[in-house]
Amino acid sequence: MAVVLVTGGAGYVGSHACKALAAAGHRSVVYDNLATGHRDLVRWGPLEQGDLLDADRLDAVLAAHRPEAVLHFAALSVVGDSVREPERYRRNNVEGSLALIGAMERHGVRRMIFSSTAAVYGIPQRLPITEDAPLAPINPYGETKAEIERALAASGLAWTALRYFNAAGADPEGEIGEHHQTETHLIPIVLHVALGLRPAIAIFGDDYDTPDGTCVRDYIHVSDLADAHVRALARLEGGGTSGPFNLGTGRGTSVQEVVDLARTVTGHAIPVEHEPRRPGDPPVLVCSNEAARAALGWQPRHDAATQVADAWRWHRRRFGA
Ligand code: UDP
């Protein structure tokens, strides 16, 4: 049993990690400013409301709870916003994380599992993407995450950076799921169409060099992500070396295939509009997850169809009439 501080634990991936920590016998303390998180997603331990940039508050929370490790999810994560407001992203994500690392060092907290992203790779030279690929982000969001990975490598902490591919799905038991104020991600938007909250899904580009012309992504179930965090924590506790791991299924699913899966799962027609390519979208992002399998004993358990089905159950309950 460990006490774990979970920054961003009121958010999508962070809340699922809290559930997985509880199932593994750990105690989570959520640290979240609730800018994008939701109080009702914090169910497995106390919520300490606070901002990463509030050093006094962080000090007080670390002193009160004395965690053995930090799972660090708190971040702004909308790629388009990061292009429009790079300074806000830098301040929140980079300066916030540096403040957190500093506070951990002051309080003798030695381990961090960091929520990183496939966006650190930019447009990959080789597929599937392995962890030794160069970090070449093409947007400020990815840059902030790459910079934090570098800061961790230069710190005295034991750390694991988990580079998520496309997080998707929801808790299979239906307790928690994805809820962003401004939704930009494919699967939730497709499900909003199924619920009648939007008229159609815009497919951004159908002329890519892919089997059906639409972009291919590696969608990974949020509960599989959560499980990897618990395993990464145990590995660091066991003296494992610091470094990054990709988290994806290793299988690609196209935008058109996601729409088709959602039509099957929801029974809704889901009208489609074809729009131009979205700037900055690589045609294909698929990872090699061999390193995570070998080092964490981890394997993804939920395929894309299950991700859409679990997300649908959650969306119907949260946003349905
Ligand atoms: N996408 C789309 N329509 C949307 C949202 C996304 O066609 O309304 C496409 C997007 O171009 C990308 C894929 O769906 O190829 C996944 O996008 P998302 O924003 O979910 O995740 P990303 O891959 O950008 O992290």
Side-chain angles (χ1 to χ4, degrees), residues 44-310:
W44 292 276
L47 167 66
E48 295 282 12
Q49 193 170 345
D51 198 284
L52 294 175
L53 290 164
D54 184 345
D56 292 343
R57 180 84 181 115
L58 252 182
D59 275 332
V61 169
L62 290 173
H65 295 282
R66 307 178 63 79
E68 280 136 73
V70 173
L71 264 53
H72 178 32
F73 298 94
L76 298 171
S77 63
V78 179
V79 171
D81 288 352
S82 80
V83 174
R84 284 184 292 276
E85 302 172 274
E87 269 316 308
R88 188 162 79 92
Y89 269 65
R90 153 158 295 282
R91 182 161 168 71
N92 188 85
N93 291 7
V94 178
E95 289 178 27
S97 298
L98 295 178
L100 175 62
I101 292 168
M104 288 172 67
E105 285 171 344
R106 282 197 297 283
H107 291 265
V109 185
R110 305 252 325 112
R111 302 185 186 106
M112 181 190 281
I113 311 295
F114 173 57
S115 174
S116 190
T117 168
V120 297
Y121 295 117
I123 299 170
Q125 307 286 316
R126 272 195 225 119
L127 292 167
I129 304 171
T130 49
E131 288 82 353
D132 57 359
L135 299 193
I138 55 164
N139 53 61
Y141 168 66
E143 281 164 15
T144 64
K145 293 284 183 174
E147 199 160 324
I148 300 157
E149 286 199 23
R150 285 192 289 269
L152 284 169
S155 76
L157 300 181
W159 58 277
T160 303
L162 296 176
R163 295 175 180 161
Y164 316 154
F165 279 63
N166 287 62
D171 172 36
E173 287 161 11
E175 285 189 280
I176 46 178
E178 189 165 14
H179 184 172
H180 296 116
Q181 251 85 29
T182 323
E183 192 50 77
T184 61
H185 293 113
L186 177 65
I187 293 176
I189 293 179
V190 167
L191 298 179
H192 288 170
V193 177
L195 284 170
L197 302 174
R198 293 178 186 235
I201 176 73
I203 293 186
F204 299 141
D206 55 10
D207 56 352
Y208 284 99
D209 185 15
T210 58
D212 63 25
T214 66
C215 284
V216 171
R217 292 289 178 273
D218 185 339
Y219 296 90
I220 177 76
H221 196 288
V222 64
S223 296
D224 285 326
L225 293 180
D227 175 38
H229 286 75
V230 175
R231 289 168 183 270
L233 184 64
R235 180 174 166 278
L236 284 189
E237 281 172 349
T241 50
S242 297
F245 293 112
N246 289 338
L247 295 181
T249 60
R251 286 170 184 274
T253 306
S254 75
V255 174
Q256 184 62 56
E257 285 172 328
V258 167
V259 173
D260 291 340
L261 282 173
R263 284 174 173 154
T264 306
V265 164
T266 67
H268 190 280
I270 309 186
V272 158
E273 285 164 1
H274 290 272
E275 291 199 5
R277 295 180 177 195
R278 189 171 70 174
D281 266 341
V284 181
L285 285 177
V286 176
C287 79
S288 162
N289 59 21
E290 292 305 320
R293 284 176 184 269
L296 304 178
W298 173 82
Q299 59 176 19
R301 297 185 184 281
H302 309 279
D303 63 10
T306 314
Q307 293 165 29
V308 173
D310 287 348

